[in-house]
Each structure stands twice: as structure tokens, then as C-alpha cells.
């Protein structure tokens, strides 16, 4: 049974990037997006929103992406959902490190609005196939 | 396709806002760069710098400034090393020039941004006569998004705060932002809208900024509380775009409305000045008749409150001058008279006073009369 991706939890501290990505995901992708400005907010909203996928910035003040993921996994409400990281700095060895953390994929910034939704759907399919 | 058009317009707006921010940040960053070159800089300013550099390192490339992005990323690494105190001597020496380079990139970007705005074809035509800087404090990002989209389209620069503490911090940065208005949600976690409002009004740095409260339909007592505490207006959620823009422009424009207060009693001047400032008007003060007449001519306030009993040139003389001068003849004047001076009231009205009020007066009654007169005179124009 092929399940469609609808709900995305999006974690990004930069309001301008967040706005563009959110519009893109909502308008072009038709997704239901819950945006959080920080790792803390994401942890608070996770249980209530019940996302199917998490799109998360890596470089955030206070709690960065990878740390947020680790904290999320410790929560009792944690469900195994695919996580996609977004970062302005993508070196190959860093990419591998993020995948080792359990991320489904890494999207480089600046992202192309035209392909963002397709890429996310692809990663969603990829995680379902496992 | 409709969606991608929306996306284009949305992107253009966000990009414009990014460039506006750069321009707003430029003076602060320039001063910081020269201070850093000359010596030590307080840790609060460094924290601020780190936040801004981080933001630019994350988004400049997206908006078409790869060099600025690169420069910001290098600077961020230097700053992080400094914070962790693992900064080498070489890195320390690099900091000031790196910051200077960063500032020059920002300057270039801000200039590009401002010239691009006059040529832009994708964003809708902006009818901004004056660009307003508005602080939006709401933890509900959807409301904040809606406010932002409609206001940015009107030519406003919007800065967002997700909670009360962030709002207060931003509001206080009056050297960076020339706030025209603060839109404040009543229900926020942590510090709620009212404590923020109180804090704003009790700080002389921020007291003059007009505040509009956002409140839910079922919370009527909040409206009264807000107005008592000094908010100039309120908007009930869910709101219509028209209602929103109308109230916002009226609140901002009220800020430009001057009210002259002429009384030789210093306490009265202070009390009235404070009250009208909290209501969002701009008070102009005069301690005697001569000053009052001067200020009437110079400032051409929207309304004047003039005490009758003043030494030297009294209220009647001011009235007489005002009415016989074409420049000031139309300015509504409310006279303040002492109890038991019936003949003053009659004389004043006969000489052209718009209204009168007897001391000791009820402050709220006076404000209500003032608002009423101003509303009616606005309707005439």
C-alpha cells in the first residue's frame, strides 16, 4: 500500500529561508508544513503534529540539527520518521556523517525551489522501501 | 501556473526584505567593525554580531550573494573559535579585517538591493510613500505570515519575534530600527502580550512606539485592559485584510499627529504629555502663552489644549492670535479653565475655542474629547 507524504515538520532558524521553503512545500508540493524556529520548538511540537518526515537545518544556534535529532530520538513519543538535513556547507565526509546519524538524505543550500518537493518525495519513497 | 507565480512573488518579497535588513544592519555593523579594529567590544554586541553573521552565512547564497555568503561563513568560523576560546593568534588577527570585508560586501549588497527595487518587475507595484518598520510579535507563525505578506506588499519592513522576550529585546534596539509600530499578540507563551505592553510603555526608550494588540474574539476584557495600558488599538482574530491595513495605517499616522499642550503648571504638562504619548500622539509642550503661540505657528499641531490662566500672554490672547492668523485659524483649540469660572468658558467659546474642560478634569474624558475632535477634523479633509 503506497502511502503519500503529507505532513512535514520543518526546522529552520532563518526566517527568510523558512518562508521560501514553506511556501514552496505548501504551494508547489501541497504538503502540510509545521515550521519550527529551533530544535527546542521542534521537540515540543513533534508529538502533537505527528509528522511523516522531518526537514531540518543543520546550523542552528543553541541546538544544531544533529543534536536535535539525537534529543528527539530520546523522547518517549518518538516514532521512526525519515529525517532530511539541509545545510549550506556540504562536504562529502560531512554528508556521510549525517547519513550515519540516520538521516535519509542531505539537501544543499541554496536549494532549488523547483526541485525541492521532488527531492523530498524521492527521499520519502526511499525510506519506505527499506 | 498560478502556484509558481505566487512563488515568484513570494520569493521577490522575501529577497527584498533580506536586502532591506542588510541596509538596516549596515550602520551598526560598520560602527562595530571600527570599534573592533580599535579595541575591545562588549560581549552583548559580539553576540549580536554572531547572530547576524550566522543568518547571512545561511541565506545570502539563496538570495544571489555567493561572495557575501562565503565571507560570512569564514567570519562565522573565526567568531566560533573565539567563543570557544580556542582562537589562535593568527585567527585573532584575522577577525577585524574579516569583519571589515564582511561589512563592505554588505554595503555592496544593500546598494544592489536598493537599485534593484526600482527596476523590479516580478514583485507587485509598491505604493510606499514612507517605508514603515513594524515589529510583529506572535508565536503563531501562520498569523505572523499573513501579517507579513500583506504588510510587506504595502512597502513595510517587518521584523518578527516569536515571544515576549524577543519582542522586548528587538523593540529596545531603537538605534538599529526606527520602529513605526508594534503588533503584539495577547496570547504568547512565557511573557504574555500585556506584560510586554507594560514593559514597553514603562521604558522611555520604547514608550512612544504605537502598539496594536491582537486578540481573540472571545476576550473582550483584554481590549479594555490593552487600551488602559496604552495600546493604541486592537485587532480581533480572525481579521480581514482591510481591517488590518486600515488600523495599522491609522495607528502609524496617529503617531505623526501633534497635540500642543500649553499650561504653566508643570505637573499638568507632564500628565497630559504622558497620556497623549501613550495614546500614540506626539505631544508638543508650552509653558506659557508666548511659547504656545510660537509653537502653534511653527508646529501647526492637529489640536491644541490651552490653559486660560497663564502669566504674561494668557489663553485668551493665544486664542485671539490663533484665530486671526490664516495659518492657525483652523486648528481646534480646547481651553482649560478653573472651577467656578463660568465667564471664561463663555468668553473662550465666543473667541473661537472648539471646546472647554474644567479643572480638575478627568483625564479619560479629555482624551475622549480630543480623539473625537481629531476624528471629525480628519473626516473633513
Amino acid at each position: 500500500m503506497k502511502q503519500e507524504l503529507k505532513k512535514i515538520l520543518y526546522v529552520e532558524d532563518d526566517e527568510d529561508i523558512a518562508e521560501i521553503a514553506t511556501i514552496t512545500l505548501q504551494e508547489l508540493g501541497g504538503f502540510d508544513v509545521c515550521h519550527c524556529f529551533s530544535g527546542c520548538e521542534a521537540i515540543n511540537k513533534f508529538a502533537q503534529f505527528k509528522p511523516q518526515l522531518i526537514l531540518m537545518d543543520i546550523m542552528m544556534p543553541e541546538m544544531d540539527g544533529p543534536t536535535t535529532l539525537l534529543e528527539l530520538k530520546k523522547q518517549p513519543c518518538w516514532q521512526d520518521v525519515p529525517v532530511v538535513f539541509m545545510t549550506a556547507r556540504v562536504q562529502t565526509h560531512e554528508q556521510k556523517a549525517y547519513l550515519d546519524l540516520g538521516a535519509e538524505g542531505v539537501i544543499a543550500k541554496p536549494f532549488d525551489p523547483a526541485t525541492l518537493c521532488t527531492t523530498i518525495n524521492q527521499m520519502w519513497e526511499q525510506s519506505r522501501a527499506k | 501556473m498560478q502556484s509558481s507565480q505566487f512563488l515568484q512573488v513570494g520569493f521577490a518579497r522575501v529577497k527584498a526584505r533580506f536586502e532591506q535588513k542588510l541596509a538596516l544592519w549596515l550602520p551598526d555593523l560598520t560602527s562595530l567593525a571600527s570599534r573592533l579594529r580599535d579595541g575591545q567590544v562588549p560581549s552583548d554586541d559580539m553576540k549580536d554580531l554572531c547572530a547576524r553573521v550566522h543568518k547571512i552565512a545561511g541565506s545570502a547564497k539563496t538570495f544571489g550573494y555567493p561572495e557575501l555568503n562565503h565571507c560570512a561563513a569564514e567570519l562565522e568560523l573565526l567568531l566560533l573559535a573565539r567563543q570557544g576560546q580556542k582562537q589562535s593568534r593568527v585567527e585573532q588577527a584575522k577577525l577585524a579585517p574579516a569583519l571589515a570585508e564582511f561589512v563592505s560586501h554588505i554595503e555592496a549588497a544593500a546598494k544592489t538591493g536598493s537599485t534593484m527595487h526600482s527596476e523590479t518587475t516580478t514583485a507587485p507595484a509598491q505604493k510606499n510613500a514612507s517605508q514603515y518598520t513594524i515589529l510583529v510579535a506572535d508565536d503563531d507563525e501562520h498569523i505572523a505570515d499573513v501579517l507579513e505578506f500583506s504588510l510587506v506588499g504595502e512597502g513595510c519592513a517587518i521584523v518578527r519575534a516569536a515571544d515576549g522576550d524577543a519582542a522586548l529585546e528587538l523593540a529596545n534596539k531603537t538605534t538599529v530600527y526606527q520602529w513605526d509600530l508594534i503588533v503584539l499578540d495577547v496570547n504568547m507563551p512565557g511573557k504574555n502580550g500585556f506584560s510586554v505592553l507594560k514593559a514597553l510603555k514603562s521604558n522611555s526608550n520604547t514608550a512612544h512606539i504605537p502598539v496594536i494588540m491582537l486578540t481573540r474574539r472571545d476576550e473582550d476584557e483584554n481590549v479594555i485592559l490593552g487600551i488602559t495600558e496604552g495600546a493604541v488599538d486592537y485587532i480581533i482574530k480572525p481579521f480581514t485584510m482591510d481591517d488590518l491595513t486600515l488600523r495599522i495605517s491609522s495607528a502609524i499616522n496617529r503617531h505623526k499627529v501633534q497635540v500642543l499642550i500649553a499650561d504653566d503648571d508643570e505637573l499638568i504638562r507632564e500628565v497630559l504629555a504622558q497620556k497623549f504619548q501613550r495614546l500614540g500622539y506626539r505631544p508638543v509642550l508650552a509653558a506659557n502663552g508666548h511659547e504656545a503661540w510660537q509653537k502653534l505657528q511653527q508646529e501647526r499641531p492637529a489640536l491644541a489644549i490651552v490653559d486660560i490662566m497663564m502669566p504674561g500672554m494668557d489663553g485668551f490672547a493665544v486664542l485671539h492670535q490663533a484665530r486671526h492668523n490664516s495659518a492657525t485659524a483652523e486648528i481646534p483649540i480646547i481651553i482649560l479653565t478653573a472651577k467656578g469660572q463660568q465667564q471664561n468658558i463663555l468668553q473662550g467659546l465666543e473667541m473661537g475655542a472648539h471646546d472647554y474642560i474644567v479643572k480638575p478634569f478627568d483625564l479619560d474624558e479629555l482624551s475622549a474629547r480630543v480623539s473625537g475632535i481629531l476624528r471629525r477634523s480628519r473626516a473633513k479633509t
Side-chain angles (χ1 to χ4, degrees):
Chain A
M1 190 178 74
K2 191 176 173 191
Q3 202 189 9
E4 225 184 55
L5 174 60
K6 260 285 161 193
K7 292 165 80 173
I8 301 179
L9 181 68
Y10 175 40
V11 193
E12 167 66 66
D13 67 305
D14 182 319
E15 59 202 357
D16 296 329
I17 304 283
E19 187 168 338
I20 299 183
T22 308
I23 308 172
T24 308
L25 291 168
Q26 284 175 338
E27 297 297 312
L28 286 188
F31 298 116
D32 182 6
V33 178
C34 174
H35 169 243
C36 303
F37 277 102
S38 67
C40 277
E41 212 187 320
I43 293 173
N44 286 334
K45 296 217 172 140
F46 180 81
Q48 212 187 17
F49 184 65
K50 298 196 194 8
Q52 293 164 284
L53 181 141
I54 300 177
L55 179 62
M56 183 147 60
D57 184 27
I58 290 200
M59 293 287 285
M60 294 190 287
E62 280 164 35
M63 212 196 300
D64 68 14
T67 313
T68 308
L69 179 55
L70 288 171
E71 288 300 312
L72 266 172
K73 287 186 172 172
K74 288 186 204 161
Q75 304 294 313
C77 57
W78 171 252
Q79 307 271 9
D80 228 353
V81 289
V83 175
V84 177
F85 282 122
M86 276 233 280
T87 175
R89 286 189 267 280
V90 194
Q91 317 265 5
T92 336
H93 61 273
E94 282 175 5
Q95 249 204 37
K96 182 170 183 305
Y98 300 138
L99 295 174
D100 286 341
L101 269 175
E104 198 53 49
V106 181
I107 295 181
K109 283 199 225 174
F111 59 86
D112 181 3
T115 57
L116 180 65
C117 298
T118 340
T119 312
I120 298 232
N121 270 320
Q122 271 169 4
M123 295 192 175
W124 164 254
E125 295 302 316
Q126 204 175 285
S127 74
R128 303 292 297 162
K130 287 182 187 164
Chain B
M1 193 184 121
Q2 210 184 29
S3 289
S4 65
Q5 240 184 351
F6 183 64
L7 192 63
Q8 251 192 337
V9 170
F11 184 84
R13 278 185 187 160
V14 180
K15 181 169 170 163
R17 187 179 67 205
F18 175 77
E19 285 155 355
Q20 282 161 7
K21 261 191 219 155
L22 291 183
L24 277 174
W25 285 359
L26 190 56
D28 229 31
L29 287 170
T30 312
S31 115
L32 205 105
S34 57
R35 277 187 288 148
L36 195 68
R37 198 186 50 230
D38 299 334
Q40 274 293 53
V41 162
S43 61
D44 273 350
D45 287 351
M46 288 310 283
K47 244 178 77 177
D48 201 44
L49 174 66
C50 288
R52 299 195 211 196
V53 170
H54 172 82
K55 188 212 165 22
I56 292 179
S59 49
K61 236 199 274 184
T62 306
F63 297 112
Y65 299 106
E67 277 159 26
L68 173 57
N69 206 97
H70 181 75
C71 181
E74 304 262 293
L75 184 56
E76 188 171 18
L77 288 173
L78 287 174
L79 289 169
L80 286 173
R82 179 190 159 108
Q83 259 177 16
Q85 262 131 33
K86 284 183 286 163
Q87 200 181 41
S88 71
R89 296 277 291 275
V90 171
E91 283 165 332
Q92 260 177 46
K94 278 194 198 167
L95 193 57
L99 183 52
E101 194 192 329
F102 178 66
V103 171
S104 64
H105 277 298
I106 295 217
E107 204 169 12
K111 271 207 200 94
T112 326
S114 60
T115 50
M116 269 173 76
H117 291 157
S118 49
E119 303 163 10
T120 191
T121 46
T122 48
Q126 292 185 335
K127 58 172 166 76
N128 57 328
S130 56
Q131 187 183 70
Y132 300 138
T133 309
I134 302 181
L135 173 60
V136 172
D138 197 320
D139 62 315
D140 181 341
E141 59 260 28
H142 300 297
I143 298 283
D145 281 342
V146 169
L147 279 169
E148 190 162 11
F149 263 123
S150 48
L151 295 175
V152 165
E154 302 291 310
C156 300
I158 307 294
V159 180
R160 285 158 65 147
D163 62 48
D165 286 315
L168 283 172
E169 208 186 304
L170 283 166
N172 256 301
K173 297 209 161 115
T174 49
T175 48
V176 180
Y177 305 107
Q178 254 79 67
W179 300 116
D180 288 294
L181 179 74
I182 300 176
V183 178
L184 192 54
D185 184 28
V186 168
N187 298 86
M188 287 191 291
K191 270 208 178 78
N192 76 12
F194 289 111
S195 6
V196 176
L197 179 61
K198 269 178 125 141
L200 286 169
K201 292 303 174 188
S202 53
N203 181 343
S204 55
N205 202 17
T206 54
H208 63 284
I209 309 170
V211 177
I212 292 184
M213 307 294 291
L214 282 178
T215 169
R216 287 201 296 263
R217 197 179 288 277
D218 55 8
E219 294 171 351
D220 283 329
E221 61 270 19
N222 282 334
V223 167
I224 299 173
L225 199 59
I227 305 289
T228 317
E229 284 300 323
V232 302
D233 207 344
Y234 61 92
I235 295 174
I236 301 179
K237 303 192 237 189
F239 46 80
T240 64
M241 278 316 120
D242 287 336
D243 193 30
L244 173 72
T245 41
L246 196 68
R247 282 177 192 270
I248 285 185
S249 52
S250 126
I252 293 181
N253 289 319
R254 196 189 308 188
H255 188 42
K256 308 190 161 64
V257 168
Q258 296 186 99
V259 173
L260 173 66
I261 299 161
D263 197 315
D264 56 320
D265 185 333
E266 191 179 341
L267 186 60
I268 301 238
R269 285 201 303 274
E270 268 176 35
V271 166
L272 288 177
Q274 219 188 53
K275 178 69 176 179
F276 286 114
Q277 201 165 56
R278 291 177 82 183
L279 287 174
Y281 301 108
R282 183 129 39 108
V284 175
L285 302 179
N288 57 58
H290 185 69
E291 251 185 74
W293 171 228
Q294 262 190 333
K295 298 248 163 109
L296 269 172
Q297 294 173 83
Q298 274 168 8
E299 308 286 341
R300 307 266 203 96
L303 178 143
I305 299 169
V306 179
D307 185 27
I308 292 290
M309 306 282 262
M310 288 190 290
M313 195 175 167
D314 67 8
F316 292 130
V318 175
L319 258 178
H320 179 85
Q321 292 285 40
R323 290 296 165 252
H324 285 81
N325 189 311
S326 54
T328 54
E330 295 299 307
I331 302 175
I333 297 179
I334 299 180
I335 48 173
L336 287 177
T337 80
K339 207 169 180 158
Q341 302 284 319
Q342 189 78 351
Q343 68 274 28
N344 281 350
I345 300 176
L346 295 175
Q347 189 178 347
L349 291 173
E350 224 159 277
M351 287 181 77
H354 216 89
D355 203 347
Y356 70 94
I357 198 150
V358 179
K359 296 200 247 191
F361 52 77
D362 182 291
L363 198 52
D364 293 320
E365 192 187 333
L366 178 57
S367 330
R369 287 184 196 237
V370 167
S371 304
I373 294 175
L374 287 173
R375 214 178 306 130
R376 284 192 290 279
S377 63
R378 252 206 311 277
K380 271 194 282 176
T381 52

